[in-house]
Amino acid sequence: MASLSLSVPYAILPSIQQTQLIDDDDDPMTVDRSIFNLAEKKRYEWKNMLKDHVGAWCIGSSHGWIVFLDQNGVPLLLNPSSSTIINLPPLPLSFLHPLTYSYFAEHLRKTFIVKAILMCYSSPSRYIIAIIYGSNCKIAYCNSTTWVELSNDRQSYCDIVFSNNHLYALTQDGSIEVWNISGPIPTRLIFLTPIMEVNYEEEKPYFGDNFSINLYLVVSGEDILLVKRFIGNFVNDDGLVVEEGDLLSSEDTQPLICPYKTKYFTVYKLDIEDKKWKKMSYLHDKILFLGANESVSMDAKVCLGCEANSIYFTDDRWEEMNLDYMYGGHDWGVFNLQEKYVKSLIQCADRIDPPPIWVVPVP
């Protein structure tokens, strides 16, 4: 690992030595990982990547750092390049109510926080971490010492990013908020509910009960983007989305294994003056990285081995990953907006545990 450059985006994967699922969080192998280098299209083993934190679970990545929870559910920051670890305050019990911390750590640690991102200052000891958490998808942040919940019970959030020292948040209905959380009291600066100019002919094949939609928010320079990810809930070996009722026929004693899979993406750009999300056909020389990481846009020229006008994505269906031992973590790949189909990056099993997560270093 010492000879491998970490200056380009890479995916963290389970250890190459992990040939079967690890059910025991006390297994020493849980500190080992491998990384998939996009520039070389190669996978490298990384012994003790998580610095002796046995059973740690990654919940996000941002600016080259990864955020994880230890076995007790306490969050930590790790910079893989420098091996720097920063301990964070435990989540307040009020965030978990009516659960106890021990119940959270044992049963909900891998699903409770769905996004964790970081705003770094010049000093590594100064930071703000923001999370989306809980069944209602609320936002909270920690300014090095104290956790604060953004008090907006009416909203359920699906993505957050930091830009220009502000927190940008996307709600489930496509509204966007901008918060100043650097001061003593969080202040919402912008709340906008744009109209979405949907191309119904393009998206019509992906509507209905057989598909789920994930939304992502990307701030790319002066542009604010919304990305829609269409996921087939049950996809057979031929790549066809099927009805749940088709999984079990009268002759079968076991249901067919048809994991969920991403089938399509569309991208919209915010027109602030018109208050509209306007459809984009191309990303031009940009690349998007989406999933459990902070949603980010990069120039193709600084991402060796990557395709411009493409979306690189990982699996972030946290709840479903633990529903079936046959699949989960598998839904990752690349989607080119011109070619309009999903390609796999490497051959992987239908079950990847822990799931892949992008780490995108600061350019």
Short mmCIF file of all heavy atoms in Angstrom, two decimals, residues 3-34:
data_model
loop_
_atom_site.label_atom_id
_atom_site.label_comp_id
_atom_site.label_asym_id
_atom_site.label_seq_id
_atom_site.Cartn_x
_atom_site.Cartn_y
_atom_site.Cartn_z
N SER A 3 3.24 2.17 -1.82
CA SER A 3 3.59 2.67 -3.14
C SER A 3 2.38 3.15 -3.92
O SER A 3 2.52 3.70 -5.01
CB SER A 3 4.30 1.57 -3.93
OG SER A 3 3.44 0.47 -4.12
N LEU A 4 1.18 2.97 -3.40
CA LEU A 4 -0.04 3.32 -4.13
C LEU A 4 -0.46 4.74 -3.82
O LEU A 4 -0.59 5.14 -2.66
CB LEU A 4 -1.16 2.35 -3.76
CG LEU A 4 -2.51 2.60 -4.45
CD1 LEU A 4 -2.37 2.43 -5.95
CD2 LEU A 4 -3.57 1.65 -3.90
N SER A 5 -0.69 5.53 -4.87
CA SER A 5 -1.13 6.91 -4.67
C SER A 5 -2.61 6.94 -4.30
O SER A 5 -3.43 6.26 -4.91
CB SER A 5 -0.90 7.71 -5.96
OG SER A 5 -1.52 8.98 -5.88
N LEU A 6 -2.92 7.75 -3.29
CA LEU A 6 -4.31 7.92 -2.87
C LEU A 6 -4.82 9.29 -3.28
O LEU A 6 -5.72 9.84 -2.67
CB LEU A 6 -4.42 7.73 -1.35
CG LEU A 6 -4.03 6.35 -0.82
CD1 LEU A 6 -4.17 6.30 0.69
CD2 LEU A 6 -4.86 5.25 -1.46
N SER A 7 -4.23 9.85 -4.34
CA SER A 7 -4.62 11.18 -4.79
C SER A 7 -5.77 11.15 -5.78
O SER A 7 -6.26 12.20 -6.20
CB SER A 7 -3.42 11.90 -5.41
OG SER A 7 -2.93 11.16 -6.53
N VAL A 8 -6.21 9.95 -6.19
CA VAL A 8 -7.34 9.81 -7.12
C VAL A 8 -8.44 9.04 -6.41
O VAL A 8 -8.20 8.32 -5.44
CB VAL A 8 -6.91 9.09 -8.41
CG1 VAL A 8 -5.90 9.92 -9.18
CG2 VAL A 8 -6.33 7.72 -8.10
N PRO A 9 -9.69 9.18 -6.86
CA PRO A 9 -10.79 8.48 -6.19
C PRO A 9 -10.60 6.97 -6.20
O PRO A 9 -10.09 6.39 -7.16
CB PRO A 9 -12.01 8.89 -7.03
CG PRO A 9 -11.63 10.19 -7.66
CD PRO A 9 -10.16 10.07 -7.93
N TYR A 10 -11.02 6.33 -5.11
CA TYR A 10 -10.94 4.89 -5.01
C TYR A 10 -12.12 4.40 -4.18
O TYR A 10 -12.77 5.17 -3.46
CB TYR A 10 -9.62 4.44 -4.38
CG TYR A 10 -9.34 4.96 -3.00
CD1 TYR A 10 -9.71 4.24 -1.86
CD2 TYR A 10 -8.69 6.17 -2.81
CE1 TYR A 10 -9.44 4.71 -0.58
CE2 TYR A 10 -8.41 6.65 -1.54
CZ TYR A 10 -8.80 5.92 -0.43
OH TYR A 10 -8.55 6.39 0.84
N ALA A 11 -12.41 3.12 -4.29
CA ALA A 11 -13.50 2.50 -3.53
C ALA A 11 -12.91 1.60 -2.46
O ALA A 11 -11.97 0.85 -2.72
CB ALA A 11 -14.42 1.70 -4.44
N ILE A 12 -13.46 1.70 -1.24
CA ILE A 12 -13.09 0.77 -0.18
C ILE A 12 -13.99 -0.45 -0.26
O ILE A 12 -15.22 -0.33 -0.33
CB ILE A 12 -13.25 1.44 1.20
CG1 ILE A 12 -12.37 2.69 1.30
CG2 ILE A 12 -12.88 0.46 2.31
CD1 ILE A 12 -12.54 3.45 2.61
N LEU A 13 -13.37 -1.63 -0.25
CA LEU A 13 -14.08 -2.90 -0.36
C LEU A 13 -13.65 -3.81 0.79
O LEU A 13 -12.68 -3.52 1.50
CB LEU A 13 -13.75 -3.57 -1.70
CG LEU A 13 -14.28 -2.89 -2.97
CD1 LEU A 13 -13.52 -3.40 -4.19
CD2 LEU A 13 -15.76 -3.14 -3.12
N PRO A 14 -14.34 -4.93 0.98
CA PRO A 14 -13.86 -5.90 1.97
C PRO A 14 -12.46 -6.40 1.62
O PRO A 14 -12.01 -6.29 0.48
CB PRO A 14 -14.89 -7.03 1.88
CG PRO A 14 -16.11 -6.41 1.29
CD PRO A 14 -15.61 -5.35 0.36
N SER A 15 -11.79 -6.96 2.59
CA SER A 15 -10.48 -7.55 2.37
C SER A 15 -10.53 -8.60 1.27
O SER A 15 -11.50 -9.35 1.16
CB SER A 15 -9.98 -8.18 3.67
OG SER A 15 -8.86 -9.02 3.42
N ILE A 16 -9.48 -8.66 0.46
CA ILE A 16 -9.38 -9.69 -0.56
C ILE A 16 -9.33 -11.07 0.09
O ILE A 16 -9.80 -12.06 -0.48
CB ILE A 16 -8.13 -9.46 -1.43
CG1 ILE A 16 -8.25 -8.12 -2.19
CG2 ILE A 16 -7.91 -10.60 -2.42
CD1 ILE A 16 -7.00 -7.73 -2.96
N GLN A 17 -8.81 -11.12 1.30
CA GLN A 17 -8.69 -12.39 2.02
C GLN A 17 -10.04 -12.86 2.58
O GLN A 17 -10.17 -14.00 3.01
CB GLN A 17 -7.69 -12.26 3.17
CG GLN A 17 -6.34 -11.72 2.76
CD GLN A 17 -5.67 -12.58 1.71
OE1 GLN A 17 -5.75 -13.81 1.77
NE2 GLN A 17 -5.03 -11.95 0.74
N GLN A 18 -11.03 -11.98 2.56
CA GLN A 18 -12.35 -12.34 3.10
C GLN A 18 -13.11 -13.12 2.04
O GLN A 18 -13.70 -12.56 1.13
CB GLN A 18 -13.12 -11.08 3.51
CG GLN A 18 -14.51 -11.36 4.08
CD GLN A 18 -15.25 -10.08 4.42
OE1 GLN A 18 -14.69 -9.12 4.93
NE2 GLN A 18 -16.55 -10.07 4.13
N THR A 19 -13.11 -14.43 2.17
CA THR A 19 -13.73 -15.29 1.17
C THR A 19 -15.16 -15.66 1.51
O THR A 19 -15.86 -16.26 0.71
CB THR A 19 -12.91 -16.58 1.00
OG1 THR A 19 -12.79 -17.23 2.28
CG2 THR A 19 -11.51 -16.26 0.46
N GLN A 20 -15.61 -15.32 2.71
CA GLN A 20 -17.00 -15.57 3.09
C GLN A 20 -17.46 -14.46 4.02
O GLN A 20 -16.66 -13.66 4.51
CB GLN A 20 -17.14 -16.93 3.78
CG GLN A 20 -16.28 -17.08 5.03
CD GLN A 20 -16.33 -18.50 5.58
OE1 GLN A 20 -16.82 -19.42 4.93
NE2 GLN A 20 -15.84 -18.68 6.79
N LEU A 21 -18.77 -14.39 4.23
CA LEU A 21 -19.32 -13.34 5.08
C LEU A 21 -18.83 -13.50 6.50
O LEU A 21 -18.69 -14.61 7.02
CB LEU A 21 -20.85 -13.39 5.05
CG LEU A 21 -21.52 -13.05 3.71
CD1 LEU A 21 -23.03 -13.15 3.86
CD2 LEU A 21 -21.12 -11.68 3.23
N ILE A 22 -18.54 -12.36 7.13
CA ILE A 22 -18.11 -12.35 8.53
C ILE A 22 -19.30 -11.94 9.39
O ILE A 22 -19.77 -10.81 9.34
CB ILE A 22 -16.93 -11.38 8.75
CG1 ILE A 22 -15.73 -11.81 7.90
CG2 ILE A 22 -16.55 -11.33 10.22
CD1 ILE A 22 -14.55 -10.87 8.00
N ASP A 23 -19.81 -12.88 10.16
CA ASP A 23 -20.96 -12.60 11.02
C ASP A 23 -20.55 -12.06 12.38
O ASP A 23 -21.37 -11.50 13.11
CB ASP A 23 -21.79 -13.88 11.22
CG ASP A 23 -22.47 -14.33 9.94
OD1 ASP A 23 -22.79 -13.44 9.12
OD2 ASP A 23 -22.65 -15.54 9.75
N ASP A 24 -19.29 -12.21 12.73
CA ASP A 24 -18.81 -11.84 14.06
C ASP A 24 -18.04 -10.52 13.99
O ASP A 24 -16.96 -10.46 13.37
CB ASP A 24 -17.91 -12.95 14.60
CG ASP A 24 -17.44 -12.68 16.02
OD1 ASP A 24 -17.88 -11.67 16.60
OD2 ASP A 24 -16.63 -13.48 16.54
N ASP A 25 -18.58 -9.47 14.59
CA ASP A 25 -17.90 -8.17 14.58
C ASP A 25 -16.62 -8.18 15.40
O ASP A 25 -15.84 -7.23 15.36
CB ASP A 25 -18.84 -7.08 15.12
CG ASP A 25 -19.85 -6.64 14.08
OD1 ASP A 25 -19.61 -6.90 12.89
OD2 ASP A 25 -20.88 -6.04 14.45
N ASP A 26 -16.38 -9.24 16.17
CA ASP A 26 -15.14 -9.37 16.93
C ASP A 26 -14.03 -10.03 16.12
O ASP A 26 -12.91 -10.19 16.62
CB ASP A 26 -15.37 -10.18 18.21
CG ASP A 26 -16.26 -9.44 19.21
OD1 ASP A 26 -16.10 -8.21 19.32
OD2 ASP A 26 -17.10 -10.08 19.87
N ASP A 27 -14.32 -10.40 14.88
CA ASP A 27 -13.31 -11.05 14.04
C ASP A 27 -12.20 -10.03 13.72
O ASP A 27 -12.47 -8.95 13.21
CB ASP A 27 -13.96 -11.53 12.75
CG ASP A 27 -13.05 -12.45 11.94
OD1 ASP A 27 -11.86 -12.13 11.81
OD2 ASP A 27 -13.54 -13.48 11.45
N PRO A 28 -10.93 -10.37 13.98
CA PRO A 28 -9.83 -9.43 13.71
C PRO A 28 -9.74 -9.01 12.24
O PRO A 28 -9.22 -7.92 11.94
CB PRO A 28 -8.59 -10.22 14.13
CG PRO A 28 -9.08 -11.26 15.08
CD PRO A 28 -10.45 -11.62 14.62
N MET A 29 -10.27 -9.83 11.33
CA MET A 29 -10.19 -9.48 9.91
C MET A 29 -11.02 -8.24 9.58
O MET A 29 -10.83 -7.63 8.52
CB MET A 29 -10.65 -10.67 9.04
CG MET A 29 -10.44 -10.45 7.55
SD MET A 29 -10.96 -11.84 6.52
CE MET A 29 -9.56 -12.93 6.76
N THR A 30 -11.94 -7.84 10.46
CA THR A 30 -12.79 -6.68 10.17
C THR A 30 -12.01 -5.38 10.13
O THR A 30 -12.55 -4.35 9.70
CB THR A 30 -13.93 -6.56 11.20
OG1 THR A 30 -13.36 -6.43 12.51
CG2 THR A 30 -14.85 -7.76 11.15
N VAL A 31 -10.74 -5.36 10.55
CA VAL A 31 -9.93 -4.13 10.45
C VAL A 31 -9.28 -4.03 9.08
O VAL A 31 -8.75 -2.98 8.70
CB VAL A 31 -8.86 -4.04 11.55
CG1 VAL A 31 -9.50 -4.11 12.92
CG2 VAL A 31 -7.80 -5.13 11.39
N ASP A 32 -9.29 -5.13 8.31
CA ASP A 32 -8.65 -5.15 7.00
C ASP A 32 -9.65 -4.75 5.91
O ASP A 32 -10.84 -5.05 6.00
CB ASP A 32 -8.11 -6.55 6.68
CG ASP A 32 -7.08 -7.03 7.69
OD1 ASP A 32 -6.40 -6.17 8.28
OD2 ASP A 32 -6.97 -8.25 7.87
N ARG A 33 -9.15 -4.09 4.91
CA ARG A 33 -9.96 -3.72 3.75
C ARG A 33 -9.11 -3.88 2.49
O ARG A 33 -7.91 -4.09 2.55
CB ARG A 33 -10.44 -2.25 3.85
CG ARG A 33 -11.45 -1.96 4.94
CD ARG A 33 -12.80 -2.59 4.65
NE ARG A 33 -13.83 -2.13 5.57
CZ ARG A 33 -14.09 -2.69 6.75
NH1 ARG A 33 -13.37 -3.73 7.15
NH2 ARG A 33 -15.04 -2.21 7.52
N SER A 34 -9.76 -3.78 1.35
CA SER A 34 -9.05 -3.62 0.08
C SER A 34 -9.58 -2.35 -0.58
O SER A 34 -10.63 -1.85 -0.19
CB SER A 34 -9.27 -4.83 -0.83
OG SER A 34 -10.63 -4.92 -1.23
#
